[in-house]
Amino acid sequence: MRKYFVLVFMAALVCMFSSCAYATTESLTIDGSQGKLSAMIQKPELNAGEKCRMVMILHGFMGNKDASYFTALADALEARGVASIRFDFNGHGESEGDFVNMTVLNEVEDAKKVYDYVKGLDYVDSVSVVGHSQGGVVAGLLAGELGADKIHSIVLLAPAAVIKDDCIRGIFIGVPFDAKNPPETLKLNDSYSLGREYLLTAQTLPIHETSKNFTGAVCLIHGMKDRAVPYTYSEVYNALYSNSELHFIPDTDHVFSGVIDEVAEIAADFLVK
C-alpha cells in the first residue's frame, strides 16, 4: 500500500513539474458587432509553451455553432492537435442581437472580432477558417480582406453566393419581394424575418471580387444534391483561386446528411497538411 502511495505522489510531482497537458473545452463570450457572441473553444493537449493552429468555424443562415457537422469537425481537429472556436453570429443561437438586424456585412465584423480574440491567445500560432453556406460567404470575404498573411487557409462548405443572386431577383428561400424596394421586414417563417438592410446589402456584396484576393490554400466541399445552393457556386469559387481543391460529395444535400464524418475528415486533413 505504501508503495502505491509513493508511486501516486511521484506521478503527481512529475505532472506538476512537467506541466501535464490536457484537452479542454471552454465556453466564453466575445464582443461582436451587435453585442456578445456565444462561443466554444476546443483545445488539444499542449505542453507548456507549445502552440497550435486555431480554426474558426462559421455557421450558416439560421444555423448555430452546435450543428453536428461542426462538432464533428471540432473533434476531428482536436484529434489532430488543432484547436477550434465555434460561435453563434449575432441574432443566432445564444448570441445577442436580433436576427432581423443581421446582415452578411455585420457577420463579417463579428468574424473579425473573433479573429482578433483568438490571434491574441498565447497558444495560437496561426488561424484558419471554415464556413458553411452563408458562413462560407463570410469566410471568403474575411480571408479576402485580411489576406494570406493573417489567414493561413480556408474551407468553404457549400458557400452560398446564391444569396446575392436571389436578392437581386427578389426571392429569398422561396419568399418573393420587390427587389427594387424591399420591405422593412420580410417574413420567412413563424420564427424568422429578414430586415430591409440585409436584402439591400446582399444585392451589392463584392463576394467574388473580395474573395479572390485570398492567395492561401482553399478547400471547397459541396454536396451534389444540394438544392439550397447548387454545386455550380463552388465551381465558380474554385475558378477564383490559384491554390484550391474542390470536393464533390455525391448523394448528399446542403447539410451533408449521412456524410458528416466524411466531410469532417476531408476538412480536418486539409487543414493540417
Side-chain angles (χ1 to χ4, degrees), residues 29 51 70 88 100 109 149 162 186 197 228 273:
T29 58
K51 294 179 180 290
F70 295 145
D88 295 326
V100 73
E109 292 306 309
D149 57 330
V162 68
L186 180 69
E197 190 66 16
K273 72 181 182 181

Side-chain angles (χ1 to χ4, degrees), residues 192-237:
Y192 293 96
S193 294
L194 275 179
R196 176 183 172 88
E197 190 66 16
Y198 179 99
L199 301 170
L200 287 174
T201 58
Q203 293 176 354
T204 59
L205 283 173
I207 294 176
H208 297 134
E209 297 88 338
T210 300
S211 297
K212 70 180 181 181
N213 294 330
F214 183 67
T215 58
V218 180
C219 176
L220 292 138
I221 308 174
H222 213 123
M224 293 294 284
K225 290 189 175 180
D226 190 338
R227 297 293 178 262
V229 180
Y231 66 82
T232 52
Y233 280 90
S234 278
E235 291 180 320
V236 174
Y237 267 102

